[in-house]
Amino acid sequence: MANDRVFNFSAGPSMLPLEVLQRAGAEITNYNGSGMSVMEMSHRSKVFQKIFDDTQAKFRKLMNVPEGYKVLFLQGGGTMQFGMVPMNLIGKTGKADYAVTGNFANLAMKEAKKYGEINIAASTEDRKHTYIPAQGDLKLSADASYFYYCSNNTIEGTQWQYVPETNGVPLVSDMSSDILSRPVDVSKYGIIFAGAQKNLAPAGLTIAIVREDLAGHELPITPAIMNYKNMIDKDSMYNTPPCWCIYMLGLMCDWLEQQGGAAGMEKINIAKANMLYDVLDNAKLFTVAAEKGSRSFMNVTFRTASADLDAKFVAESVEQGFTNLKGHRSVGGMRASIYNAMPTEGVEKLCDFIKKFDSEN
Ligand SMILES: *Cc1c(COP(=O)(O)O)cnc(C)c1O
């Protein structure tokens, strides 16, 4: 780490690797001899088209995206996909199944209700979204146009550790907070989408991986910019794409490749998370919010028995060079977001701090 950088545990936007930032910095005023910054380039220029194509290829390789799927570089965040998914997909039968395992899944479900009939296939609200439902507990409808779930619940700190079996109903997954943190079999999905600002790039880019046969059945009211088919036909350039963020994703893809791709990243992420959970499980003051077996490898949520002690922990953590450890306002307590770019060293240092706090209080 450059010694003026903090360990930033923000849930998003979050850390980017120092090497990636330094490379972007070196290229910021004159990209590859073009005499201009990527920020200043026409998205129709040859130079930018090459950045776009290379980034597409690198991302497809890292995600192992099969034939028959398009990767779209969009804007609007994960939140725009909450509306875009039903507008494009629900027309088939007028119905969809949703697993509501946290705040973001709930928002997606509410948005989808505007466009069709929604069946709650599972809700984990009974235990404050501290767990992931088992396959056998999913109440699936045979005539759903799609089944929707959020693979990592960023706020609550839970994560699906299996891919739901839906008997042919297309799977739609919000992977905003765990994309490329572990290998994913894309062929099992209809749509995967993710805002890039947690694991991959600066805020402003949203990636959607779309099985091509699912596009082209949108509701007639669907805005052109929210129409998957339109964006597929125009290769994400119906309008100006988020050029700078696409370039940054390309740099991040190079970095991920150096970590061993999705499989290499998964090993590192599991080791980081297990280190942190072990320390918390063995501490006398702290409890982990998520139930065992449902715990997230990306967002670790924990607390002490008192809000005052939580506040003391957060205040002291800032003095130690850690930032953004305060939990989401809807949950309280603490949350350590340890995405791809959080170095192992940052988690080790946090573990030492937790142990020290635990013995001193
Ligand atoms: C952050 C997040 C969102 C919202 O993303 P925006 O880019 O702010 O719209 C949606 N889903 C999940 C799982 C998230 O973590």
Side-chain angles (χ1 to χ4, degrees):
M1 280 269 119
N3 56 15
D4 58 345
R5 300 237 325 144
V6 293
F7 288 112
N8 178 7
F9 291 89
S10 169
S14 37
M15 286 187 87
L16 287 165
L18 183 63
E19 302 92 303
V20 167
L21 295 173
Q22 284 171 334
R23 199 175 147 195
E27 296 177 339
I28 201 159
T29 57
N30 185 349
Y31 173 77
N32 202 17
S34 65
M36 63 178 88
S37 168
V38 175
M39 284 184 233
E40 304 167 298
M41 272 173 201
S42 164
H43 58 294
R44 310 274 178 206
S45 66
K46 271 199 184 131
V47 186
F48 183 74
Q49 189 65 51
K50 178 153 169 41
I51 294 172
F52 184 96
D53 293 342
D54 289 351
T55 305
Q56 279 272 334
K58 288 177 204 171
F59 180 81
R60 287 189 80 102
K61 177 163 180 270
L62 282 166
M63 287 286 297
N64 199 14
V65 178
E67 289 286 296
Y69 287 79
K70 270 283 185 328
V71 174
L72 299 177
F73 292 154
L74 309 170
Q75 304 196 42
T79 306
M80 192 166 93
Q81 296 303 308
F82 297 170
M84 201 158 162
V85 164
M87 278 185 189
N88 283 273
L89 264 54
I90 210 164
K92 200 170 160 206
T93 65
K95 298 179 189 171
D97 284 356
Y98 275 70
V100 180
T101 54
N103 174 67
F104 287 118
N106 190 47
L107 289 173
M109 182 276 290
K110 280 204 224 154
E111 191 72 7
K113 271 190 170 171
K114 297 175 185 169
Y115 306 104
E117 196 184 313
I118 302 306
N119 168 49
I120 307 293
S123 168
T124 51
E125 215 182 343
D126 57 340
R127 299 206 299 274
K128 292 189 175 160
H129 301 307
T130 53
Y131 69 103
I132 296 296
Q135 172 73 46
D137 295 331
L138 303 177
K139 295 183 192 66
L140 304 170
S141 10
D143 61 346
S145 298
Y146 61 92
F147 172 92
Y148 180 103
Y149 77 107
C150 177
S151 70
N152 184 69
N153 297 287
T154 321
I155 293 176
E156 296 80 6
T158 63
Q159 186 176 29
W160 291 67
Q161 302 301 349
Y162 69 97
V163 180
E165 175 52 63
T166 54
N167 306 313
V169 170
L171 268 182
V172 174
S173 188
D174 176 359
M175 297 193 185
S176 290
S177 51
D178 65 356
I179 193 155
L180 275 174
S181 69
R182 58 181 178 180
V184 166
D185 181 354
V186 175
S187 71
K188 289 189 169 161
Y189 291 85
I191 306 227
I192 292 170
F193 70 83
Q197 70 270 26
K198 281 136 194 179
N199 266 311
L200 292 181
L205 168 66
T206 308
I207 299 163
I209 307 172
V210 180
R211 208 177 79 200
E212 283 173 65
D213 65 291
L214 294 175
H217 311 286
E218 69 282 350
L219 301 177
I221 56 158
T222 307
I225 201 166
M226 292 175 75
N227 180 338
Y228 288 130
K229 182 74 172 65
N230 188 31
M231 282 301 187
I232 288 172
D233 289 347
K234 299 288 174 2
D235 204 9
S236 304
M237 293 223 211
Y238 172 71
N239 68 329
T240 315
C243 303
W244 168 256
C245 298
I246 292 168
Y247 158 75
M248 288 297 291
L249 173 64
L251 301 192
M252 188 67 186
C253 285
D254 291 342
W255 183 85
L256 286 166
E257 198 64 63
Q258 287 161 15
Q259 314 305 309
M265 210 61 250
E266 180 184 43
K267 278 200 200 113
I268 298 168
N269 286 329
I270 289 178
K272 283 189 296 188
N274 283 344
M275 193 195 326
L276 190 46
Y277 283 123
D278 276 353
V279 167
L280 290 167
D281 285 338
N282 289 314
K284 65 179 194 307
L285 290 180
F286 297 96
T287 47
V288 172
E291 296 179 14
K292 278 191 179 152
S294 298
R295 292 172 169 184
S296 168
F297 292 102
M298 297 276 98
N299 309 96
V300 176
T301 47
F302 58 103
R303 53 166 28 97
T304 70
S306 104
D308 288 345
L309 205 51
D310 287 349
K312 186 173 183 225
F313 178 90
V314 172
E316 287 183 18
S317 74
V318 173
E319 288 165 26
Q320 300 299 314
F322 307 115
T323 60
N324 290 306
L325 281 165
K326 196 168 188 285
H328 189 269
R329 59 192 179 280
S330 68
V331 178
M334 280 77 72
R335 170 175 54 172
S337 297
I338 50 174
Y339 299 124
N340 289 340
M342 172 57 68
T344 301
E345 188 198 351
V347 179
E348 284 167 355
K349 293 241 163 85
L350 177 61
C351 287
D352 290 344
F353 172 66
I354 291 170
K355 282 191 234 166
K356 189 160 172 280
F357 189 91
D358 194 56
S359 67
E360 287 174 358
N361 288 277

